[in-house]
Every structure is written in structure tokens, then in C-alpha cells.
Amino acid sequence: MTRFILRRLGISALVLLGGSVLMFVLTINSGDPLQDLRESNDPNRDNLIAQRITTMGLDLPWYQRYWQWLSGAAGCLVGRCDLGTNRAGVDVMSMLENAASATLRLVVLATLLAIVAGVAFGILTAIRQYSGFDYVITFFAFLFFSLPVFWAAVLLKEYGAIRFNDWIADPSVSLLTTLLIALVVGVVLQGALGGDTRRRLMTAGGGAVFVFAAITYFDAVDWWRRPALGLPVVALVSIGAGALMVALTSGFGNRRVVNAVGATVGLGLVAYVALGGVLADPSWPILLGLYAASVVVALACGWFLGGFSRRTAMWASFVTATVMAGAVVLDKALSAWSGYLGLQPRPISTIGSQTPNFVGTFWQDFLDKGTQLILPTVVLTLISLASYTRYTRASMLEVLEQDYVRTARAKGLSEREVITRHAFRNALIPLTTIVAFDFAGLIGGAVITEAVFGWKGMGELFRTGLNQVDPGPVMAFFLVTGVAAVVMNMLADISYAFLDPRIRR
């Protein structure tokens, strides 16, 4: 494996070198970097042209300009990156840091949501092949995959931002809308969970009644403007996440895993109550430190209480602790929503990644940045969700027809064990390639999405550099996206060996 990785790194370095030469040559020959100044009526035009020629090195041959860039980029290997300046004299490295941070905030969340939801829908549609649920998900998957990005973004701006901001000023849900939402949720739940007619009716009815009651309650207490979860809801979410992980991993017959997950939930709830003052207005280092501590405690619970199922217990406890941490963050953010509305009466912005000069508490600032993420994240998630759903479904259907799956069922294993332990793990192998390259591609920036929503990310950096015939920003974009593609491809190869031990040989 070590020889394989070193060989791949060497080949990837040659590919990056050749690609960088091609990108640099194409960029500097794509137009005239002095065109705007040549058309200017500024009396100081000649001096401005001379300054730009000196700044961009236009009086040097292309290979000398490329060598200067390559020498500075090679310094990144020792932590001394020098990517030069753009045509205005601004340091490209600082521009890259700002663009990469904006894009990563957008891409990471959208990709994770698309993977989790897409894999879940893919598994469910494979298990319920040719059912009504399968047909509905397939229809929407193809619909989302075919949506023009700019059109979907404009619709979200209209209905997800402008009309929502009008509604939140005096929020209320009509009886007809409440009924429709409840019925839709009920139909979706019964389709996802399946079963005989009686079970489907009970699932649909119970889900519809619960949603109808919840929306009616929220309307009565004006929850839309003063929301909160509180300890009871956090506890229910944590217990539900723990129960789900136990059901998916070992089953409730394995008391050691149940005890490990239960201890994780119990200690997490105690910490939530004890650290209420710290969480009221924390900082990012404190929040990340608390999450790291919760992961350590969860892994320790799995290690000491898991017994012979230690590995399974540690994994289940880790996921449970992560869901608990998310529930706590959501609870604290919702508690600050009312105060945030006082500062931002129209909370969902249609442009930009954050409100300029915004001043508020930690959670209000968290909401400000989070609300700017909603619309572009939804666009990217819907488009990526379709491909993940279809790939997962196809891979699962192929694996479920294999001999070892039929053997597992013939041995008397439960359907849960067949799906989670035998089918799902092998179905992940082709999906790993899609995830790796999709994530690497999205790091390059969703150019259209960023343009529509006014995000100054990697896509904007590349587009601006190309329009201005400025190789500095374009080559910075290539450096990040090229390295990301190499690294993600390498991680995919290593993941193959983890998922299928036969590949290690």
C-alpha cells in the first residue's frame, strides 16, 4: 500500500505539473489584460498601462512568468506559499483564503447533507423496489437532477427568501395548509416504512396527526418567532438517535452496545445541563473543544462497556454523541432566533455570505452566517441528492442479487443484518468514487450558484481571474482544485481497501 501511494503521488505530481503549464498558457492567451486601460479616457492612461505591465510581468516571456509562479507555489510544500498578486496588486494568497473559506462553508454542508439523504433514500428505494415510494423518489430524483441551477436558485430566492421574510413578520399557518402538510408527511412516512395495509394506515395516520398537532401548537404559542427545543426535546432526539444506531448496528439483544450508547446519552444530558452557562455565549474554540471532549467520552463508553462488541459500541456511541451535539447547537441557536429577528427583521438574505458589519452575540452571529447558507446549500443539495440516490439504489440492487446475500438470508440472519452488514458495505465501494470526485469538484466552487447568490468563493475567484486575463487567481484556483482531486482520489483508493479487505492484496 505504501509503494502504491508513493507511485500514485509521483504520477499525480506530474499530472499537476502538466496541467498547470496548460492552464497558465491558456489563461494568458485568452484575451488582452490591458483592454480596459486601452479603452480608457483617463489622462494618466499610459502610466497605468506601464504599472500593470510591471505588476503582471507582461514584459517577460511566458515561461519566465510561469517559473515565478511555480517557484512560489512550490513553497507551499514547506509552508511558505507565495502565489503573487493579481493585476491590482492584491495578494492572491489572501484572496484564496477568503474564497476557500466561503466555498468550504457552502460545499461541505451541502455535500454531507446530499450524501446522508441520498444514501438513505437509495437504500430505501432499493429495499422497496417498484413500490409507490420507489416511483416517487425516482421521479423527484430525475426532476432535481434536470433542474437548471439558475432557475432553481431564482425560485428559492422568491419563495425561500422574499416571501418567507414577509411571512415571518407576522407568521401563521392556515388550517388548509396544515392539513396538506400533515397529509404529505403521512403519505411519505408510510411509503418509506412500508408494511401491510394496516401498518401503512397506522403509520400514515399517526404521522399526519402528530404533524398537524405540532403545527397547531407552534401557531398557538408563536413558536415561529420564539422557537426553542429545551431539555425534553434534546433528550428525545438523543435517545432516538441512540436507539436507531443500536438497531442498525447490533440490535437490542446486544446489551453491551445498548449500555455503551445509553451511558453516552446519559453523560451527554448531564453535561448539557451542567454547561448551560458556558453554552449561553461561547466561542468557536470552546464549542469545538466541547465537541472533541464529547467524542472522547463517547469512544471511552464504547471501549469500556462494549466488551466483545467494542468496535460496534464505539461507532454507535460516536454517531450518537455527534447527533446530540447537533441537537444542542440547534437548541441554542433557536433560542437566539427571537433576538436575531430584532436585529434582522428580514433574516433570509438573497445575496452574500454574511451581513456586513453585523454585531451580535455568538449565537446571533451563528444565525446570521447560517441563514445566508440556507438557499445556496438547498440548491446544491437537491442537485447532488439526485445522483447519490440513483447510484446508491443501483449499487444496492446489484449487491442484493449476489450469492453471499442469499446465503446470509438462508442462514437465518435478520433483514437488518443482511442490509447493514453484508449488502450496504459492499454497495459503498462504487459510491466512494462518486463521493470523492464530487467533493473535489465542488471545492472548485459552484460557479453558477455563487454568481446567483453573490458568494465570493472559489468559483467567483476563477471567473474574475479569467475575465481579467489574470493568471494569478486562476492558477490559485487550479492549485487548490488540482490538489483536492489528487487527495480525494487517494482517499477513495484507501477506502476501497478498508471496505473490501480483498483489495488490500
Side-chain angles (χ1 to χ4, degrees):
M1 180 63 76
T2 302
R3 288 196 300 270
F4 169 76
I5 292 176
L6 292 176
R7 184 168 64 251
R8 289 292 299 274
L9 285 176
I11 296 173
S12 300
L14 293 176
V15 171
L16 286 175
L17 181 63
S20 65
V21 174
L22 182 61
M23 178 67 78
F24 190 89
V25 172
L26 289 175
T27 302
I28 62 176
N29 289 284
S30 63
D32 182 8
L34 302 175
Q35 181 177 356
D36 59 319
L37 294 179
R38 297 187 199 278
E39 299 173 350
S40 173
N41 295 322
D42 194 314
N44 199 31
R45 185 186 65 174
D46 292 339
N47 288 334
L48 294 175
I49 290 177
Q51 289 177 7
R52 183 173 293 180
I53 290 174
T54 303
T55 301
M56 298 183 66
L58 299 178
D59 53 341
L60 301 175
W62 73 267
Y63 52 84
Q64 189 171 347
R65 295 171 63 191
Y66 172 75
W67 179 253
Q68 290 178 350
W69 175 84
L70 185 63
S71 301
C76 296
L77 297 174
V78 293
R80 298 178 182 175
C81 286
D82 181 13
L83 302 181
T85 61
N86 68 351
R87 72 177 192 177
V90 180
D91 182 50
V92 173
M93 192 62 197
S94 63
M95 297 171 58
L96 179 62
E97 290 174 354
N98 294 331
S101 64
T103 293
L104 284 175
R105 274 195 293 144
L106 174 62
V107 167
V108 170
L109 181 59
T111 304
L112 289 177
L113 289 175
I115 291 172
V116 172
V119 169
F121 283 132
I123 294 174
L124 289 173
T125 52
I127 297 173
R128 310 259 188 266
Q129 187 183 16
Y130 302 135
S131 65
F133 178 76
D134 182 22
Y135 288 129
V136 170
I137 295 299
T138 299
F139 170 77
F140 280 104
F142 282 117
L143 176 65
F144 294 148
F145 188 76
S146 305
L147 281 180
V149 176
F150 62 89
W151 183 73
V154 170
L155 285 181
L156 280 175
K157 276 190 171 186
E158 173 65 25
Y159 294 98
I162 298 174
R163 298 202 181 187
F164 175 83
N165 289 335
D166 294 338
W167 175 80
I168 198 65
D170 186 19
S172 64
V173 183
S174 66
L175 179 61
L176 178 60
T177 304
T178 303
L179 284 172
L180 289 175
I181 295 173
L183 290 174
V184 169
V185 172
V187 171
V188 171
L189 278 179
Q190 64 84 24
L193 298 179
D196 55 25
T197 304
R198 181 172 176 272
R199 180 178 174 182
R200 286 175 179 270
L201 289 174
M202 290 181 62
T203 302
V209 169
F210 175 80
V211 171
F212 182 85
I215 294 178
T216 303
Y217 171 77
F218 291 160
D219 247 3
V221 300
D222 197 21
W223 190 88
W224 313 113
R225 291 188 63 88
R226 292 190 294 272
L229 297 182
L231 180 60
V233 177
V234 172
L236 285 175
V237 171
S238 304
I239 294 171
L244 179 62
M245 286 308 301
V246 171
L248 290 177
T249 54
S250 65
F252 291 97
N254 191 328
R255 303 304 303 174
R256 295 181 182 274
V257 176
V258 173
N259 292 338
V261 172
T264 300
V265 172
L267 292 174
L269 293 177
V270 171
Y272 169 69
V273 175
L275 297 173
V278 177
L279 292 171
D281 191 17
S283 61
W284 279 112
I286 292 176
L287 206 60
L288 294 175
L290 290 175
Y291 173 67
S294 68
V295 169
V296 171
V297 171
L299 295 178
C301 289
W303 176 269
F304 290 108
L305 301 177
F308 61 86
S309 301
R310 182 171 292 155
R311 182 176 177 181
T312 302
M314 292 175 68
W315 170 247
S317 298
F318 164 74
V319 175
T320 302
T322 300
V323 174
M324 287 186 66
V328 171
V329 169
L330 181 61
D331 175 48
K332 294 302 180 181
L334 287 177
S335 299
W337 177 252
S338 178
Y340 175 67
L341 288 179
L343 299 174
Q344 288 285 95
R346 301 183 68 81
I348 308 297
S349 175
T350 59
I351 191 168
S353 58
Q354 64 185 65
T355 303
N357 304 318
F358 181 83
V359 178
T361 64
F362 172 84
W363 292 115
Q364 290 171 349
D365 184 66
F366 177 87
L367 284 171
D368 180 64
K369 293 182 172 65
T371 51
Q372 316 308 315
L373 273 173
I374 292 176
L375 299 186
T377 298
V378 169
V379 171
L380 293 179
T381 300
L382 289 179
I383 295 171
S384 299
L385 176 67
S387 58
Y388 287 129
T389 300
R390 299 307 297 167
Y391 278 119
T392 304
R393 180 183 183 274
S395 184
M396 279 292 294
L397 288 175
E398 181 180 357
V399 170
L400 288 173
E401 295 298 324
Q402 299 298 316
D403 291 339
Y404 60 84
V405 173
R406 286 194 290 268
T407 302
R409 285 174 172 151
K411 288 165 59 178
L413 295 180
S414 65
E415 191 65 14
R416 175 190 59 79
E417 291 178 301
V418 171
I419 296 298
T420 58
R421 292 191 179 183
H422 296 273
F424 178 56
R425 182 169 178 173
N426 290 281
L428 281 177
I429 294 176
L431 191 65
T432 302
T433 305
I434 306 301
V435 172
F437 281 102
D438 192 30
F439 186 77
L442 284 175
I443 286 179
V447 179
I448 298 177
T449 304
E450 290 180 5
V452 173
F453 290 104
W455 277 64
K456 303 299 181 181
M458 294 293 292
E460 175 69 15
L461 180 72
F462 174 78
R463 187 173 63 87
T464 302
L466 199 59
N467 289 339
Q468 297 177 350
V469 198
D470 190 352
V474 175
M475 296 307 294
F477 168 89
F478 174 83
L479 182 65
V480 171
T481 54
V483 171
V486 170
V487 171
M488 295 306 295
N489 192 20
M490 190 70 62
L491 291 177
D493 290 336
I494 296 173
S495 299
Y496 297 153
F498 171 76
L499 293 170
D500 188 350
R502 294 174 299 177
I503 298 177
R504 300 173 192 171
R505 300 183 182 275

